[in-house]
Amino acid sequence: MRPDELGAVERQLWNSFTQGTAVDLRDGTSSAESAIRADVIEALLLGAGADPAPGDRPALRLTGARITGSLDLRFAEIAMPVVLADCRFDEVPLLHGARLRELALPGSSLPGLAADTAQIDGRLVLSRCHLTGPLILNRAEIHGDLDLRDTVITAPRAEAISAVHVAIGGDTLCTNLAVQGGFRVSGASIDGEFDLEGASLSNPGGNALDAYHIRITEDFTFHPGFRAEGRIILSGATVSAAIGFCGAVLNNAGDVALEAVDVHVTRNFDLGRGLAVNGGIKLDGSNIGTQLSFRDATLTHPGETALSLRMIQARETDLRTQRPIDGTVDARNAQLGTLYDTPDTWPADIRLAETAYDALASPLAAAERLDWLRRGTDGYLPQPYEQLAAAYRRLGHEDEARTVLLAKQRHRRATLPPHIRVWGYIQDATVGYGYRPLRAGLWLMALLACGAIFFAAHSPGPLEAGKAPPFNAVFYTLDLLVPIITFGQEAAFAPRGVGQWLAYGLTAAGWVLATTVTAGISRAISRQ
């Protein structure tokens, strides 16, 4: 391209290029006068201009222009920065496989941008842009920041941002980003933070954000003010700092709103402080280095699993939501560390099969905690009772632990056939399945008193006159009640009538007491 083929503003840009001075066409220039052909920009960037003099720093710096035609820089190597601010592009810039020093398009309007497999040594700045078509960055390498602050990208029913396996050496800044369509960054690597504060992602019925297997070396931030319509996918993500959704609004009614399966977070995973979710949250298998928090969050997924924590691991778990979770909480096989909760926010349906926790921040009385366990719908399972009893024992609350284990036996009894339940009722009434040994002593004392009073008033006759020892109503009753010792009274005297039936009853009661005490003590010792 020759200089004599250039228009006035194109010649101005041509002459400014070698020294990198800016050309601003915003003031007093009509749309027609500010038009610059894409071919002119291509020619400059590909070396058609004058050779730079020593000390020159070539750069393309243009503001307020209308770029006509197709800017085609596919597989080009461009050694100078390119800044096209507040420009309007008629066609999608093509940067497939290009190598650039730095690319900045702040405030520009584009029908899209195709930069897959591009390499940018510095920043890619698309702040305040308006794109009416997709932004494509698949397998691109950006060694600096990716800046999408205050940008609007509209591509309904399509992937508005496609950045599969993109590698970013700095921060990904998406503050106040507005996207209509999908936002896909699966497999991306970000050596900085990923900031979505105030962003709005809308893709109803699809994936609002697909960050499957993303790797982030700093924070992954969705607060405050983040809003999403559609599913958020973080499954397989590795975040070396924290993930935060405080104050965010996630809406995917009737389906999963946040899918974060097998996520590894070095610090906190904060889903509290004003988070509102209409849809399910699925965190199965995730590993949280410090705290998983739902403090003051509102979770709604009626009739379905609102929160799935299966097989997660966390040092602390805070389930003190704003109000009871509307839907099922599934914490089966989870390791919750120190658990924070309150009775006012317990969900109506919580599944705790094989759930483990190191401590309860609010132990409460055993009667209250048993109500918490009974909210599960898994049927009779011994482990939740044993886990709760172990937590009380670690606190030194042995009585509360025994109350929990007694409740476990009663729950188990309800699952047994009727003829086996009878023996359970006897063990419960006499010794509380071994967890209430004082009851056996009280029963013994009551029966001893009844027998001693009766036989003192109605002494049985001796079997052999002149050979029987002096009758003692107390020790005679003890001989009947305690089968393993003898005081010589039972063998020497024979009651008649009512006394004989009472003796039979005391003997039977003694055997029942001895059997239940033995069974109960054996059970208690084996559990400890």
Side-chain angles (χ1 to χ4, degrees), residues 210-503:
D210 182 353
Y212 179 74
H213 266 285
I214 195 170
R215 183 188 66 81
I216 303 172
T217 61
E218 295 183 20
D219 291 333
F220 198 177
T221 305
F222 294 82
H223 61 250
F226 175 82
R227 303 179 69 87
E229 185 83 20
R231 181 179 293 210
I232 301 293
I233 299 176
L234 307 183
S235 295
T238 300
V239 180
S240 299
I243 301 177
F245 278 87
C246 299
V249 177
L250 310 183
N251 185 25
N252 198 29
D255 202 348
V256 174
L258 174 60
E259 178 188 315
V261 176
D262 293 326
V263 171
H264 291 263
V265 186
T266 301
R267 298 209 307 264
N268 296 338
F269 197 156
D270 198 339
L271 290 152
R273 290 185 284 177
L275 170 67
V277 180
N278 185 9
I281 294 180
K282 190 174 183 180
L283 306 181
D284 299 352
S286 291
N287 190 312
I288 295 95
T290 52
Q291 186 181 67
L292 171 63
S293 176
F294 295 90
R295 181 73 181 270
D296 295 327
T298 302
L299 310 184
T300 305
H301 197 28
E304 302 291 341
T305 300
L307 176 60
S308 182
L309 303 175
R310 297 184 64 180
M311 295 182 288
I312 71 157
Q313 297 181 46
R315 289 186 185 178
E316 295 182 352
T317 304
D318 194 335
L319 293 176
R320 293 174 291 184
T321 51
Q322 182 71 30
R323 60 174 184 261
I325 295 172
D326 188 0
T328 298
V329 175
D330 189 349
R332 288 177 289 177
N333 298 99
Q335 297 182 34
L336 304 179
T338 299
L339 177 61
Y340 296 81
D341 65 349
T342 60
D344 292 342
T345 60
W346 284 343
D349 183 4
I350 182 168
R351 299 176 183 178
L352 298 169
E354 302 301 324
T355 304
Y357 40 86
D358 299 327
L360 294 167
S362 301
L364 304 176
E368 290 182 278
R369 279 292 169 192
L370 287 172
D371 176 59
W372 177 59
L373 291 187
R374 294 187 188 106
R375 291 169 181 251
T377 56
D378 297 315
Y380 168 70
L381 295 169
Q383 187 274 338
Y385 291 96
E386 292 166 1
Q387 171 67 54
L388 180 56
Y392 278 122
R393 283 197 174 116
R394 283 193 291 270
L395 294 170
H397 298 173
E398 190 62 35
D399 288 344
E400 305 283 21
R402 286 197 294 267
T403 298
V404 171
L405 294 174
L406 176 57
K408 181 191 78 169
Q409 293 298 331
R410 289 171 175 170
H411 192 173
R412 175 179 175 272
R413 182 178 67 207
T415 67
L416 299 175
H419 65 282
I420 299 179
R421 288 184 213 166
V422 174
W423 179 240
Y425 283 117
I426 293 173
Q427 291 187 79
D428 193 355
T430 53
V431 292
Y433 285 97
Y435 301 113
R436 297 288 185 265
L438 183 60
R439 287 185 187 177
L442 294 175
W443 277 105
L444 182 63
M445 295 300 295
L447 293 172
L448 177 62
C450 290
I453 292 171
F454 179 87
F455 289 119
H458 307 86
S459 300
L463 289 173
E464 296 185 34
K467 293 185 179 181
F471 179 74
N472 186 300
V474 173
F475 286 100
Y476 179 74
T477 306
L478 279 175
D479 260 355
L480 295 172
L481 280 172
V482 183
I484 58 175
I485 60 173
T486 179
F487 295 98
Q489 293 282 311
E490 180 186 6
F493 298 92
R496 298 285 188 273
V498 175
Q500 186 176 20
W501 287 106
L502 178 59

Side-chain angles (χ1 to χ4, degrees), residues 13-341:
L13 178 64
W14 195 279
N15 294 333
S16 68
F17 177 74
T18 54
Q19 294 184 351
T21 55
V23 175
D24 192 339
L25 304 179
R26 291 176 298 180
D27 298 330
T29 305
S30 67
S31 176
E33 293 173 331
S34 66
I36 294 179
R37 289 172 291 168
D39 290 346
V40 175
I41 296 174
E42 289 178 26
L44 280 172
L45 295 177
L46 296 177
D51 292 334
D56 285 347
R57 295 184 179 179
L60 183 70
R61 303 184 190 277
L62 177 62
T63 302
R66 176 188 171 195
I67 313 299
T68 63
S70 174
L71 180 60
D72 188 349
L73 297 173
R74 288 176 290 182
F75 303 104
E77 291 200 17
I78 300 168
M80 65 286 297
V82 178
V83 180
L84 298 169
D86 298 314
C87 292
R88 301 181 306 282
F89 290 79
D90 287 352
E91 298 184 32
V92 176
L94 304 177
L95 303 174
H96 309 283
R99 175 79 181 268
L100 299 97
R101 178 67 58 85
E102 182 170 280
L103 178 62
L105 307 174
S108 295
S109 298
L110 307 92
L113 176 63
D116 44 312
T117 69
Q119 297 183 54
I120 301 174
D121 295 338
R123 300 178 302 157
L124 174 58
V125 179
L126 298 170
S127 58
R128 298 182 293 104
C129 286
H130 187 187
L131 279 71
T132 56
L135 169 62
I136 302 174
L137 297 172
N138 296 327
R139 297 188 181 277
E141 294 182 17
I142 302 167
H143 291 207
D145 296 339
L146 171 60
D147 191 345
L148 292 169
R149 290 176 292 183
D150 301 299
T151 289
V152 177
I153 303 177
T154 305
R157 298 177 297 279
E159 284 189 356
I161 300 178
S162 183
V164 177
H165 291 290
V166 67
I168 299 172
D171 298 328
T172 300
L173 305 172
C174 299
T175 305
N176 299 323
L177 170 68
V179 177
Q180 290 187 24
F183 184 172
R184 189 180 181 195
V185 285
S186 55
S189 174
I190 300 173
D191 291 336
E193 67 173 325
F194 193 168
D195 186 0
L196 284 154
E197 176 182 338
S200 175
L201 310 181
S202 179
N203 192 24
N207 297 330
L209 175 65
D210 182 353
Y212 179 74
H213 266 285
I214 195 170
R215 183 188 66 81
I216 303 172
T217 61
E218 295 183 20
D219 291 333
F220 198 177
T221 305
F222 294 82
H223 61 250
F226 175 82
R227 303 179 69 87
E229 185 83 20
R231 181 179 293 210
I232 301 293
I233 299 176
L234 307 183
S235 295
T238 300
V239 180
S240 299
I243 301 177
F245 278 87
C246 299
V249 177
L250 310 183
N251 185 25
N252 198 29
D255 202 348
V256 174
L258 174 60
E259 178 188 315
V261 176
D262 293 326
V263 171
H264 291 263
V265 186
T266 301
R267 298 209 307 264
N268 296 338
F269 197 156
D270 198 339
L271 290 152
R273 290 185 284 177
L275 170 67
V277 180
N278 185 9
I281 294 180
K282 190 174 183 180
L283 306 181
D284 299 352
S286 291
N287 190 312
I288 295 95
T290 52
Q291 186 181 67
L292 171 63
S293 176
F294 295 90
R295 181 73 181 270
D296 295 327
T298 302
L299 310 184
T300 305
H301 197 28
E304 302 291 341
T305 300
L307 176 60
S308 182
L309 303 175
R310 297 184 64 180
M311 295 182 288
I312 71 157
Q313 297 181 46
R315 289 186 185 178
E316 295 182 352
T317 304
D318 194 335
L319 293 176
R320 293 174 291 184
T321 51
Q322 182 71 30
R323 60 174 184 261
I325 295 172
D326 188 0
T328 298
V329 175
D330 189 349
R332 288 177 289 177
N333 298 99
Q335 297 182 34
L336 304 179
T338 299
L339 177 61
Y340 296 81
D341 65 349

